[in-house]
PDB file of all heavy atoms in Angstrom:
ATOM      1  N   ALA F   1     127.218  88.314 143.368  1.00  0.00           N
ATOM      2  CA  ALA F   1     127.548  87.850 144.720  1.00  0.00           C
ATOM      3  C   ALA F   1     128.702  88.658 145.302  1.00  0.00           C
ATOM      4  O   ALA F   1     128.667  89.066 146.465  1.00  0.00           O
ATOM      5  CB  ALA F   1     127.903  86.365 144.699  1.00  0.00           C
ATOM      6  N   GLY F   2     129.720  88.917 144.485  1.00  0.00           N
ATOM      7  CA  GLY F   2     130.845  89.711 144.953  1.00  0.00           C
ATOM      8  C   GLY F   2     130.464  91.138 145.273  1.00  0.00           C
ATOM      9  O   GLY F   2     130.905  91.711 146.272  1.00  0.00           O
ATOM     10  N   ARG F   3     129.625  91.707 144.443  1.00  0.00           N
ATOM     11  CA  ARG F   3     129.199  93.089 144.669  1.00  0.00           C
ATOM     12  C   ARG F   3     128.330  93.205 145.910  1.00  0.00           C
ATOM     13  O   ARG F   3     128.477  94.128 146.705  1.00  0.00           O
ATOM     14  CB  ARG F   3     128.448  93.620 143.452  1.00  0.00           C
ATOM     15  CG  ARG F   3     129.368  93.912 142.292  1.00  0.00           C
ATOM     16  CD  ARG F   3     128.604  94.422 141.108  1.00  0.00           C
ATOM     17  NE  ARG F   3     129.525  94.754 140.027  1.00  0.00           N
ATOM     18  CZ  ARG F   3     129.158  95.035 138.810  1.00  0.00           C
ATOM     19  NH1 ARG F   3     127.869  95.021 138.484  1.00  0.00           N
ATOM     20  NH2 ARG F   3     130.045  95.325 137.888  1.00  0.00           N
ATOM     21  N   TYR F   4     127.399  92.266 146.081  1.00  0.00           N
ATOM     22  CA  TYR F   4     126.530  92.302 147.260  1.00  0.00           C
ATOM     23  C   TYR F   4     127.338  92.091 148.545  1.00  0.00           C
ATOM     24  O   TYR F   4     127.098  92.753 149.551  1.00  0.00           O
ATOM     25  CB  TYR F   4     125.431  91.249 147.158  1.00  0.00           C
ATOM     26  CG  TYR F   4     124.357  91.562 146.144  1.00  0.00           C
ATOM     27  CD1 TYR F   4     123.756  90.550 145.413  1.00  0.00           C
ATOM     28  CD2 TYR F   4     123.926  92.870 145.928  1.00  0.00           C
ATOM     29  CE1 TYR F   4     122.761  90.822 144.488  1.00  0.00           C
ATOM     30  CE2 TYR F   4     122.941  93.153 145.009  1.00  0.00           C
ATOM     31  CZ  TYR F   4     122.363  92.125 144.288  1.00  0.00           C
ATOM     32  OH  TYR F   4     121.374  92.398 143.378  1.00  0.00           O
ATOM     33  N   ALA F   5     128.289  91.180 148.508  1.00  0.00           N
ATOM     34  CA  ALA F   5     129.106  90.931 149.700  1.00  0.00           C
ATOM     35  C   ALA F   5     129.952  92.154 150.042  1.00  0.00           C
ATOM     36  O   ALA F   5     130.125  92.493 151.220  1.00  0.00           O
ATOM     37  CB  ALA F   5     129.993  89.715 149.486  1.00  0.00           C
ATOM     38  N   HIS F   6     130.474  92.826 149.021  1.00  0.00           N
ATOM     39  CA  HIS F   6     131.279  94.025 149.258  1.00  0.00           C
ATOM     40  C   HIS F   6     130.433  95.140 149.884  1.00  0.00           C
ATOM     41  O   HIS F   6     130.916  95.894 150.725  1.00  0.00           O
ATOM     42  CB  HIS F   6     131.888  94.503 147.942  1.00  0.00           C
ATOM     43  CG  HIS F   6     132.733  95.726 148.084  1.00  0.00           C
ATOM     44  ND1 HIS F   6     133.962  95.702 148.700  1.00  0.00           N
ATOM     45  CD2 HIS F   6     132.523  97.009 147.707  1.00  0.00           C
ATOM     46  CE1 HIS F   6     134.477  96.926 148.696  1.00  0.00           C
ATOM     47  NE2 HIS F   6     133.621  97.739 148.096  1.00  0.00           N
ATOM     48  N   ALA F   7     129.176  95.200 149.482  1.00  0.00           N
ATOM     49  CA  ALA F   7     128.278  96.228 150.013  1.00  0.00           C
ATOM     50  C   ALA F   7     127.617  95.794 151.321  1.00  0.00           C
ATOM     51  O   ALA F   7     126.727  96.473 151.815  1.00  0.00           O
ATOM     52  CB  ALA F   7     127.205  96.560 148.982  1.00  0.00           C
ATOM     53  N   ARG F   8     128.049  94.657 151.869  1.00  0.00           N
ATOM     54  CA  ARG F   8     127.513  94.101 153.123  1.00  0.00           C
ATOM     55  C   ARG F   8     126.023  93.785 153.031  1.00  0.00           C
ATOM     56  O   ARG F   8     125.304  93.876 154.009  1.00  0.00           O
ATOM     57  CB  ARG F   8     127.766  95.031 154.317  1.00  0.00           C
ATOM     58  CG  ARG F   8     129.210  95.355 154.581  1.00  0.00           C
ATOM     59  CD  ARG F   8     129.914  94.167 155.200  1.00  0.00           C
ATOM     60  NE  ARG F   8     131.230  94.512 155.690  1.00  0.00           N
ATOM     61  CZ  ARG F   8     132.351  94.222 155.038  1.00  0.00           C
ATOM     62  NH1 ARG F   8     132.301  93.625 153.880  1.00  0.00           N
ATOM     63  NH2 ARG F   8     133.518  94.537 155.552  1.00  0.00           N
ATOM     64  N   GLN F   9     125.570  93.439 151.837  1.00  0.00           N
ATOM     65  CA  GLN F   9     124.183  93.009 151.647  1.00  0.00           C
ATOM     66  C   GLN F   9     124.204  91.485 151.575  1.00  0.00           C
ATOM     67  O   GLN F   9     124.081  90.875 150.509  1.00  0.00           O
ATOM     68  CB  GLN F   9     123.609  93.629 150.374  1.00  0.00           C
ATOM     69  CG  GLN F   9     123.583  95.137 150.414  1.00  0.00           C
ATOM     70  CD  GLN F   9     123.140  95.742 149.099  1.00  0.00           C
ATOM     71  OE1 GLN F   9     122.783  95.049 148.155  1.00  0.00           O
ATOM     72  NE2 GLN F   9     123.175  97.067 149.040  1.00  0.00           N
ATOM     73  N   MET F  10     124.375  90.879 152.755  1.00  0.00           N
ATOM     74  CA  MET F  10     124.694  89.464 152.810  1.00  0.00           C
ATOM     75  C   MET F  10     123.547  88.555 152.385  1.00  0.00           C
ATOM     76  O   MET F  10     123.785  87.494 151.814  1.00  0.00           O
ATOM     77  CB  MET F  10     125.192  89.091 154.206  1.00  0.00           C
ATOM     78  CG  MET F  10     126.463  89.839 154.601  1.00  0.00           C
ATOM     79  SD  MET F  10     127.714  89.941 153.295  1.00  0.00           S
ATOM     80  CE  MET F  10     128.417  88.332 153.375  1.00  0.00           C
ATOM     81  N   ARG F  11     122.324  88.938 152.646  1.00  0.00           N
ATOM     82  CA  ARG F  11     121.208  88.080 152.217  1.00  0.00           C
ATOM     83  C   ARG F  11     121.167  87.975 150.691  1.00  0.00           C
ATOM     84  O   ARG F  11     120.943  86.895 150.141  1.00  0.00           O
ATOM     85  CB  ARG F  11     119.880  88.617 152.721  1.00  0.00           C
ATOM     86  CG  ARG F  11     119.656  88.333 154.168  1.00  0.00           C
ATOM     87  CD  ARG F  11     118.259  88.706 154.573  1.00  0.00           C
ATOM     88  NE  ARG F  11     118.101  88.448 155.999  1.00  0.00           N
ATOM     89  CZ  ARG F  11     117.043  88.796 156.687  1.00  0.00           C
ATOM     90  NH1 ARG F  11     116.042  89.428 156.097  1.00  0.00           N
ATOM     91  NH2 ARG F  11     116.961  88.529 157.959  1.00  0.00           N
ATOM     92  N   ARG F  12     121.383  89.094 150.027  1.00  0.00           N
ATOM     93  CA  ARG F  12     121.412  89.073 148.563  1.00  0.00           C
ATOM     94  C   ARG F  12     122.621  88.281 148.064  1.00  0.00           C
ATOM     95  O   ARG F  12     122.531  87.532 147.082  1.00  0.00           O
ATOM     96  CB  ARG F  12     121.456  90.490 148.013  1.00  0.00           C
ATOM     97  CG  ARG F  12     120.166  91.239 148.199  1.00  0.00           C
ATOM     98  CD  ARG F  12     120.277  92.649 147.690  1.00  0.00           C
ATOM     99  NE  ARG F  12     119.007  93.348 147.827  1.00  0.00           N
ATOM    100  CZ  ARG F  12     118.842  94.626 147.585  1.00  0.00           C
ATOM    101  NH1 ARG F  12     119.864  95.361 147.195  1.00  0.00           N
ATOM    102  NH2 ARG F  12     117.654  95.184 147.728  1.00  0.00           N
ATOM    103  N   ALA F  13     123.773  88.437 148.724  1.00  0.00           N
ATOM    104  CA  ALA F  13     124.976  87.705 148.328  1.00  0.00           C
ATOM    105  C   ALA F  13     124.763  86.205 148.489  1.00  0.00           C
ATOM    106  O   ALA F  13     125.113  85.420 147.601  1.00  0.00           O
ATOM    107  CB  ALA F  13     126.167  88.171 149.152  1.00  0.00           C
ATOM    108  N   TYR F  14     124.186  85.780 149.616  1.00  0.00           N
ATOM    109  CA  TYR F  14     123.945  84.355 149.847  1.00  0.00           C
ATOM    110  C   TYR F  14     122.947  83.792 148.830  1.00  0.00           C
ATOM    111  O   TYR F  14     123.051  82.638 148.432  1.00  0.00           O
ATOM    112  CB  TYR F  14     123.456  84.103 151.262  1.00  0.00           C
ATOM    113  CG  TYR F  14     124.502  84.370 152.322  1.00  0.00           C
ATOM    114  CD1 TYR F  14     124.153  84.911 153.538  1.00  0.00           C
ATOM    115  CD2 TYR F  14     125.842  84.075 152.091  1.00  0.00           C
ATOM    116  CE1 TYR F  14     125.112  85.175 154.504  1.00  0.00           C
ATOM    117  CE2 TYR F  14     126.804  84.333 153.045  1.00  0.00           C
ATOM    118  CZ  TYR F  14     126.438  84.876 154.256  1.00  0.00           C
ATOM    119  OH  TYR F  14     127.392  85.127 155.207  1.00  0.00           O
ATOM    120  N   ARG F  15     121.979  84.625 148.413  1.00  0.00           N
ATOM    121  CA  ARG F  15     121.018  84.188 147.405  1.00  0.00           C
ATOM    122  C   ARG F  15     121.734  83.905 146.081  1.00  0.00           C
ATOM    123  O   ARG F  15     121.458  82.894 145.420  1.00  0.00           O
ATOM    124  CB  ARG F  15     119.946  85.255 147.216  1.00  0.00           C
ATOM    125  CG  ARG F  15     118.860  84.837 146.231  1.00  0.00           C
ATOM    126  CD  ARG F  15     117.825  85.909 146.048  1.00  0.00           C
ATOM    127  NE  ARG F  15     118.439  87.115 145.499  1.00  0.00           N
ATOM    128  CZ  ARG F  15     118.055  88.355 145.776  1.00  0.00           C
ATOM    129  NH1 ARG F  15     117.073  88.576 146.620  1.00  0.00           N
ATOM    130  NH2 ARG F  15     118.664  89.386 145.227  1.00  0.00           N
ATOM    131  N   GLU F  16     122.694  84.752 145.713  1.00  0.00           N
ATOM    132  CA  GLU F  16     123.431  84.536 144.469  1.00  0.00           C
ATOM    133  C   GLU F  16     124.365  83.328 144.578  1.00  0.00           C
ATOM    134  O   GLU F  16     124.537  82.583 143.616  1.00  0.00           O
ATOM    135  CB  GLU F  16     124.228  85.788 144.090  1.00  0.00           C
ATOM    136  CG  GLU F  16     123.369  86.992 143.761  1.00  0.00           C
ATOM    137  CD  GLU F  16     122.435  86.769 142.589  1.00  0.00           C
ATOM    138  OE1 GLU F  16     122.803  86.049 141.628  1.00  0.00           O
ATOM    139  OE2 GLU F  16     121.319  87.312 142.619  1.00  0.00           O
ATOM    140  N   ILE F  17     124.962  83.128 145.766  1.00  0.00           N
ATOM    141  CA  ILE F  17     125.819  81.960 145.961  1.00  0.00           C
ATOM    142  C   ILE F  17     124.991  80.684 145.862  1.00  0.00           C
ATOM    143  O   ILE F  17     125.416  79.687 145.254  1.00  0.00           O
ATOM    144  CB  ILE F  17     126.559  82.057 147.311  1.00  0.00           C
ATOM    145  CG1 ILE F  17     127.565  83.207 147.272  1.00  0.00           C
ATOM    146  CG2 ILE F  17     127.261  80.751 147.640  1.00  0.00           C
ATOM    147  CD1 ILE F  17     128.175  83.549 148.608  1.00  0.00           C
ATOM    148  N   LYS F  18     123.792  80.711 146.428  1.00  0.00           N
ATOM    149  CA  LYS F  18     122.905  79.555 146.330  1.00  0.00           C
ATOM    150  C   LYS F  18     122.517  79.304 144.877  1.00  0.00           C
ATOM    151  O   LYS F  18     122.406  78.157 144.434  1.00  0.00           O
ATOM    152  CB  LYS F  18     121.653  79.793 147.175  1.00  0.00           C
ATOM    153  CG  LYS F  18     120.747  78.599 147.244  1.00  0.00           C
ATOM    154  CD  LYS F  18     119.571  78.866 148.138  1.00  0.00           C
ATOM    155  CE  LYS F  18     118.660  77.655 148.172  1.00  0.00           C
ATOM    156  NZ  LYS F  18     117.429  77.904 148.892  1.00  0.00           N
ATOM    157  N   ARG F  19     122.329  80.368 144.123  1.00  0.00           N
ATOM    158  CA  ARG F  19     122.006  80.236 142.701  1.00  0.00           C
ATOM    159  C   ARG F  19     123.161  79.575 141.950  1.00  0.00           C
ATOM    160  O   ARG F  19     122.949  78.699 141.106  1.00  0.00           O
ATOM    161  CB  ARG F  19     121.707  81.622 142.142  1.00  0.00           C
ATOM    162  CG  ARG F  19     121.166  81.620 140.752  1.00  0.00           C
ATOM    163  CD  ARG F  19     120.616  82.981 140.380  1.00  0.00           C
ATOM    164  NE  ARG F  19     119.335  83.172 141.060  1.00  0.00           N
ATOM    165  CZ  ARG F  19     118.814  84.354 141.369  1.00  0.00           C
ATOM    166  NH1 ARG F  19     119.471  85.459 141.066  1.00  0.00           N
ATOM    167  NH2 ARG F  19     117.657  84.434 141.966  1.00  0.00           N
ATOM    168  N   LEU F  20     124.405  79.965 142.270  1.00  0.00           N
ATOM    169  CA  LEU F  20     125.572  79.340 141.635  1.00  0.00           C
ATOM    170  C   LEU F  20     125.659  77.859 141.981  1.00  0.00           C
ATOM    171  O   LEU F  20     125.995  77.029 141.136  1.00  0.00           O
ATOM    172  CB  LEU F  20     126.849  80.054 142.076  1.00  0.00           C
ATOM    173  CG  LEU F  20     127.110  81.414 141.433  1.00  0.00           C
ATOM    174  CD1 LEU F  20     128.184  82.153 142.189  1.00  0.00           C
ATOM    175  CD2 LEU F  20     127.506  81.227 139.989  1.00  0.00           C
ATOM    176  N   LYS F  21     125.345  77.536 143.229  1.00  0.00           N
ATOM    177  CA  LYS F  21     125.359  76.138 143.656  1.00  0.00           C
ATOM    178  C   LYS F  21     124.288  75.342 142.910  1.00  0.00           C
ATOM    179  O   LYS F  21     124.502  74.191 142.529  1.00  0.00           O
ATOM    180  CB  LYS F  21     125.140  76.068 145.162  1.00  0.00           C
ATOM    181  CG  LYS F  21     125.362  74.711 145.753  1.00  0.00           C
ATOM    182  CD  LYS F  21     125.248  74.765 147.260  1.00  0.00           C
ATOM    183  CE  LYS F  21     125.452  73.409 147.872  1.00  0.00           C
ATOM    184  NZ  LYS F  21     125.337  73.422 149.324  1.00  0.00           N
ATOM    185  N   THR F  22     123.149  75.975 142.674  1.00  0.00           N
ATOM    186  CA  THR F  22     122.073  75.328 141.916  1.00  0.00           C
ATOM    187  C   THR F  22     122.509  75.082 140.476  1.00  0.00           C
ATOM    188  O   THR F  22     122.266  74.002 139.928  1.00  0.00           O
ATOM    189  CB  THR F  22     120.814  76.210 141.935  1.00  0.00           C
ATOM    190  OG1 THR F  22     120.427  76.410 143.287  1.00  0.00           O
ATOM    191  CG2 THR F  22     119.680  75.571 141.164  1.00  0.00           C
ATOM    192  N   TYR F  23     123.164  76.060 139.859  1.00  0.00           N
ATOM    193  CA  TYR F  23     123.655  75.888 138.493  1.00  0.00           C
ATOM    194  C   TYR F  23     124.622  74.713 138.426  1.00  0.00           C
ATOM    195  O   TYR F  23     124.553  73.888 137.511  1.00  0.00           O
ATOM    196  CB  TYR F  23     124.356  77.148 137.989  1.00  0.00           C
ATOM    197  CG  TYR F  23     123.477  78.362 137.831  1.00  0.00           C
ATOM    198  CD1 TYR F  23     124.035  79.630 137.777  1.00  0.00           C
ATOM    199  CD2 TYR F  23     122.096  78.270 137.726  1.00  0.00           C
ATOM    200  CE1 TYR F  23     123.252  80.759 137.625  1.00  0.00           C
ATOM    201  CE2 TYR F  23     121.308  79.398 137.576  1.00  0.00           C
ATOM    202  CZ  TYR F  23     121.897  80.628 137.532  1.00  0.00           C
ATOM    203  OH  TYR F  23     121.105  81.751 137.374  1.00  0.00           O
ATOM    204  N   LEU F  24     125.536  74.629 139.393  1.00  0.00           N
ATOM    205  CA  LEU F  24     126.500  73.528 139.423  1.00  0.00           C
ATOM    206  C   LEU F  24     125.775  72.190 139.561  1.00  0.00           C
ATOM    207  O   LEU F  24     126.077  71.232 138.842  1.00  0.00           O
ATOM    208  CB  LEU F  24     127.495  73.721 140.569  1.00  0.00           C
ATOM    209  CG  LEU F  24     128.473  72.569 140.811  1.00  0.00           C
ATOM    210  CD1 LEU F  24     129.361  72.359 139.590  1.00  0.00           C
ATOM    211  CD2 LEU F  24     129.307  72.833 142.045  1.00  0.00           C
ATOM    212  N   GLY F  25     124.815  72.117 140.464  1.00  0.00           N
ATOM    213  CA  GLY F  25     124.085  70.869 140.668  1.00  0.00           C
ATOM    214  C   GLY F  25     123.314  70.437 139.430  1.00  0.00           C
ATOM    215  O   GLY F  25     123.267  69.250 139.101  1.00  0.00           O
TER     216      GLY F  25
END
């Protein structure tokens, strides 16, 4: 997520953030 956000690949970054939220849930 950090790498994708740094590279301005926001759709991929948001997908990884959603994955982290799923793991937490």
Side-chain angles (χ1 to χ4, degrees):
R3 287 180 177 170
Y4 288 145
H6 180 71
R8 302 286 191 258
Q9 299 174 4
M10 299 317 282
R11 283 188 182 173
R12 289 178 178 173
Y14 292 144
R15 183 181 62 213
E16 295 300 325
I17 292 170
K18 186 177 179 187
R19 189 168 285 154
L20 284 166
K21 190 175 179 181
T22 301
Y23 295 161
L24 174 62

